[in-house]
């Protein structure tokens, strides 16, 4: 991700933290928060401006797969990196 962001200086990234359904909502949000903040810090150490890294914790709100077993839980505990790119200023549809 750092290599991509270094090569694409107008792009940014949103790191979405997710976890499984076990635990309280508050616990799950904080559990989803820790890894994404670590990922943000890791990108900063690699030279990516922290202003280009947005983070959000969904806790258990956005499961990747349905299920109530360890196989589902392991897939739902994850961080997702979403590349954010600004609109292309050359393809403006506004009339002048």
């Amino acid at each position: 991700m750092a290599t991509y962001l270094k090569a694409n200086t107008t792009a940014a990234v949103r790191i979405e933290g997710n976890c499984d359904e076990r635990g309280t909502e508050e616990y799950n949000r904080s559990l989803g928060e820790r890894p994404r903040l670590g990922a943000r810090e890791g990108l900063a150490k690699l030279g990516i401006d922290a202003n280009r890294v947005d983070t959000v914790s969904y806790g258990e709100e956005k499961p990747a797969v349905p299920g109530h077993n360890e196989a589902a839980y392991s897939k739902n505990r994850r961080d997702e990196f979403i590349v954010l790119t600004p609109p292309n200023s050359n393809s403006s549809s506004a009339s002048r």
Side-chain angles (χ1 to χ4, degrees):
M1 182 55 58
T3 301
Y4 176 84
L5 291 172
K6 285 179 182 180
N8 297 277
T9 58
T10 60
V13 66
R14 179 176 55 238
I15 305 170
E16 298 178 348
N18 299 273
C19 64
D20 62 49
E21 64 184 16
R22 297 173 291 179
T24 65
E25 184 176 335
E26 182 178 301
Y27 173 78
N28 285 337
R29 284 193 186 274
S30 69
L31 189 63
E33 184 175 355
R34 280 183 250 152
R36 70 184 167 89
L37 293 177
R40 181 181 191 178
E41 187 175 302
L43 287 171
K45 286 180 181 178
L46 293 172
I48 304 304
D49 183 347
N51 290 326
R52 295 175 60 200
V53 182
D54 183 35
T55 61
V56 64
S57 179
Y58 290 116
E60 64 186 77
E61 293 176 29
K62 293 185 167 192
V65 296
H68 307 287
N69 55 45
E70 192 54 46
Y73 298 153
S74 67
K75 290 181 176 142
N76 291 330
R77 293 186 301 260
R78 70 202 187 282
D79 281 340
E80 294 182 351
F81 289 71
I82 312 299
V83 175
L84 307 172
T85 55
N88 185 345
S89 60
N90 294 332
S91 63
S92 175
S93 60
S95 55
R96 296 179 185 223

